[in-house]
Structure formats: structure tokens, C-alpha cells
Amino acid sequence: MISWVRKPAPHRESTLPDKETILPAPPSGSATRAITLLAVAAFAVQAMVRVTDSLLPQIAADFSTTVGVASIVVTAYLLAHGSVQLVIGPIGDRFGKYLCLSIATAIAAMLVLACALAPSLSLLVAARFGSGLAAGWIVPFALAFVGDVIPYERRQQVIGTFLSGQILGQMFGQAAGGALGDYFGWRTVFLLLAGMIALATVGLFYELWRNPITHASRAPARKGAGFVADYIVVLRSPWSRALIALVFIEAVAMFGAFGYVGADLHARFGVSFTVVGLFVGFFAVGGLIYSMSVGRLVAHFGPAGLAAGGGVMLAVAYVILAVEQVVWLAPLAILCVGLGFYMLHNTLQTNATQMTPEARGTAVSIFSAALYLGQTAGAALGGLIFDRYTAVPVFLGAAVVLLASGLWFAREIKRRAG
């Protein structure tokens, strides 16, 4: 079992991507239990992100509209979830990340319940937008909290394990949206999600009450610190700007290509959408393989090796998807996309928690917002290329960009550590 309780041994500066500001140690308490509950909350949030994808036909039929019109419930949620992360960081740095995300989880539970009870499409859109605004606080502050209480040397392993909650949530959301929606209706799916989020809320507030480590805030008081000052602290650092730009580029390439894997398989090989859904699900399988083996991978390859290996694996997988002549190669390639992505992205996440420790909540929130904005830009760019030139140039372009990103990032990690 992984022990997540912070030990008093000092950091070795040479292992850090940058020299860490001297910050007070967090209070004593169980980091393991606190972070496990954060993973449960992340599970519920990630399930909520994608759950409406397969519910759109039912929602459209219930409100007597088209699927295209009903799809605004997806757009509204993603817009709110991504944009709110641009402004929440300083709040968590001031009032405590665990407290802020616990309150946000409680609000999200009420708004998801409102989704289940919405009598009209416009009210459903409003409830989805509101739930996106609330849910957008949870994962960035969870990652920042991990950065506060876990030493850098062990942080990638802990974050990698924490990711299992998000990955399982993604798998559950897609499955629940389809299977439970078919049997019990789309409103029942939202009722189930609201109950899950409410249970996570109870656990989080219990931790706040009983576990001293949840009150950790390693951001020291800074003269003249304020809302704008926190953004200046993050953005004046060249390394922070590089990581934010890199995660944006990664998201554009990764999701600008992955979003069209299913459409390409259906168009090129004529496979049914049911089979397409099963194939695309191998992405989550690759992520789970990473999450379950992250400790061994970090110990064997190190952060630089994981970043480079992730870039290489992504490039090879996307080349296979571009040139494959046999459809049964697709699940293996998609699994490699999932494994390679988490190898690269988890290393990026870990470095993001360390780029400005004195404004960690702000830094991770900007990083997370860049990820969502990159996904949006990538989907739009990929769509333009896909409609004109098929998916082949989309996949090959992603292979080149992700390979270059992984190799550059690995080189920078080595340079800064050495």
C-alpha cells in the first residue's frame, strides 16, 4: 500500500524541476484518507463531464427538439468547467484548497439534482452550466492540495494513483449514460450522479472536521499579495509559462486527433457505433494500466523517461491509426494512446504542482484551464482538417507534435534536475 503521509525528511533540491520556496510543513494527519476522498470526488466529477454524450437522443426526445439543439447541454458544461478555472486559483490559495473544493462539491451535488428535475431544456442548460462552474474547482484544487502535502519526490506516484478516480469516472459516465439511460431514463442518471456527489461531499466535510492535514496551506503570506498578484507570480516564471503553453499544445494535438478516432473507424472500416464505443474505451484501459503501475514506472524510467516514452508511444499509436489496414489494430493503438498520454500528462501535472509553490492553487488552475481550452481548440482544428482531408493528416500531425513535445519536455526535466 502506498503511504501518502508527508515525512519530515528535507527535499533534495537536485530532484526538483525548480528550487522550491521554503514553505511551512503541513499539519499532521492522514494524507492517504484525505486524498482517497478527493479521488472519489474526482470520480463523480469526471462521470458528470461525459455522461450527457450518450443521453442526448433521450434529452432531445423528452423536450421535443433535435439532438443538435440538445447538444448545448454538453457545450454549456464544458465552457463553464474550463473557463471558471482561470479565476479560482487565488481563492483556494487564500481560504484553503480542501475547504473550497468541499464547498464546490456540495454546490455541484445540488445543481446536478436540479438537472434531474429540470422541467425544460433551458433550465437543464442553466443547471448544467452551473454544475460545470462548481465542478471546475474540484480537480485543480485536489492536485494543488496533493502538491501541498506530498513531497515532490513521491508526488508523481500519488497523482498517478489519484488519476484512477478520474479514469474510472470517465468509464462509468459513458457506460451509465448509455446503459442506465436506456433502462431508466436520463433523469435517473442525474439522480444517481447527484447521490454520488452528495456522498463525496459528506466524506470531504468529515475530513475537514477530523483531519488536520486538510487545513494545510503552504502558501505563505506575501507582501502585497492579492488576486492579480497571484497571477503575476505564476506568469512571470519562464518555466510556468512553458508548462502552461506545453499542456495547451498537448491538448490541441491529443484531443484534436482523438476526438475523430471513432468517426474515422466508422467511415473507413464501416464498423458499428457500438463497436466504435468499445474500441474507444480502450483509452481508459491504457490509463488504468498507467495508474496501477505508476510507482514501478516512475522508479524505473524517472520523470524524464516517462515524458519521452509517452511522446514516443503516442506518436507510434497515432501513426498506426493513420495507416492501419486492419481494423483490429485499432484497440491496441487506442490503448497505447491512453497509456502514452498519461505517461506524458501525469509528468506535466506533477511539474505543474511545483512550478510556483507560493501560489500553487493559482498555478494548477491556470494549467487546468489551458488543458480545457486546448481541447476546445483541438476539436475545432481537427474538425476543419478532417472534413477536408480525412483523419490521416490529423493523426500524423498529432504524432509529430506529441513526439516533439515529449522529447523537449524530457530534455528540460533533465537540464533542470542536473
Side-chain angles (χ1 to χ4, degrees), residues 241-280:
R241 294 196 301 269
L243 289 178
I244 292 166
L246 186 58
V247 76
F248 179 84
I249 293 168
E250 176 205 42
V252 170
M254 170 65 205
F255 295 102
F258 191 73
Y260 298 96
V261 168
D264 177 68
L265 291 173
H266 178 71
R268 201 188 328 174
F269 297 104
V271 295
S272 69
F273 287 111
T274 300
V275 174
V276 166
L278 291 172
F279 282 6
V280 172

Side-chain angles (χ1 to χ4, degrees), residues 5 71 76 363 395 407:
V5 179
S71 67
F395 295 160
L407 295 178

Side-chain angles (χ1 to χ4, degrees), residues 55-416:
L55 294 176
L56 287 178
Q58 295 181 40
I59 293 172
D62 197 19
F63 293 122
S64 301
T65 188
T66 65
V67 170
V69 172
S71 67
I72 191 174
V73 300
V74 178
T75 307
Y77 182 90
L78 293 176
L79 177 64
H81 192 110
S83 60
V84 74
Q85 295 173 0
L86 286 170
V87 298
I88 62 174
I91 301 173
D93 286 329
R94 292 295 174 276
F95 300 103
K97 304 169 187 70
Y98 214 95
L99 173 63
C100 288
L101 69 87
S102 298
I103 294 172
T105 306
I107 295 172
M110 292 185 285
L111 289 168
V112 174
L113 177 61
C115 290
L117 304 176
S120 67
L121 180 61
S122 59
L123 289 176
L124 176 60
V125 171
R128 279 290 282 175
F129 186 85
S131 62
L133 289 177
W137 296 58
I138 297 169
V139 172
F141 282 172
L143 291 172
F145 174 80
V146 172
D148 284 348
V149 301
I150 301 297
Y152 179 79
E153 290 83 355
R154 294 189 291 119
R155 198 175 300 161
Q156 183 157 4
Q157 182 177 356
V158 174
I159 292 176
T161 306
F162 167 79
L163 280 174
S164 61
Q166 292 179 262
I167 298 166
L168 289 170
Q170 177 185 341
M171 295 174 69
F172 176 82
Q174 292 169 334
L180 296 179
D182 282 342
Y183 283 102
F184 303 107
W186 65 269
R187 294 182 187 275
T188 302
V189 176
F190 280 109
L191 285 172
L192 177 62
L193 285 175
M196 291 167 50
I197 299 169
L199 286 174
T201 301
V202 172
L204 291 172
F205 276 102
Y206 180 81
E207 284 299 288
L208 277 169
W209 176 45
R210 296 297 299 271
N211 193 349
I213 205 168
T214 60
H215 302 284
S217 179
R218 296 184 66 206
R222 303 190 311 277
K223 184 177 181 180
F227 193 89
V228 176
D230 281 348
Y231 286 92
I232 294 174
V233 167
V234 176
L235 296 178
R236 73 185 177 190
S237 164
W239 182 234
S240 297
R241 294 196 301 269
L243 289 178
I244 292 166
L246 186 58
V247 76
F248 179 84
I249 293 168
E250 176 205 42
V252 170
M254 170 65 205
F255 295 102
F258 191 73
Y260 298 96
V261 168
D264 177 68
L265 291 173
H266 178 71
R268 201 188 328 174
F269 297 104
V271 295
S272 69
F273 287 111
T274 300
V275 174
V276 166
L278 291 172
F279 282 6
V280 172
F282 276 81
F283 176 85
V285 175
L288 283 176
I289 291 173
Y290 175 79
S291 179
M292 291 186 294
S293 58
V294 58
R296 293 187 296 274
L297 290 172
V298 172
H300 186 72
F301 295 106
L306 281 178
V312 170
M313 186 172 291
L314 283 166
V316 171
Y318 273 120
V319 168
I320 291 173
L321 289 171
V323 303
E324 64 181 337
Q325 300 298 313
V326 180
V327 70
W328 301 110
L329 285 175
L332 177 60
I334 293 169
L335 184 148
C336 290
V337 169
L339 178 57
F341 171 71
Y342 283 105
M343 288 170 65
L344 175 58
H345 186 68
N346 182 225
T347 309
L348 269 169
Q349 282 180 317
T350 304
N351 278 263
T353 65
Q354 192 62 27
M355 54 191 184
T356 49
E358 66 272 31
R360 203 186 308 271
T362 304
V364 177
S365 296
I366 296 174
F367 177 88
S368 186
L371 174 66
Y372 271 86
L373 293 173
Q375 291 182 50
T376 304
L381 178 61
L384 290 175
I385 300 173
F386 180 86
D387 287 344
R388 289 168 174 78
Y389 307 106
T390 76
V392 173
V394 179
F395 295 160
L396 293 179
V400 172
V401 172
L402 291 168
L403 176 62
S405 298
L407 295 178
W408 179 86
F409 186 38
R411 186 193 69 183
E412 289 299 300
I413 291 174
K414 290 180 179 179
R415 184 180 67 81
R416 299 175 69 84

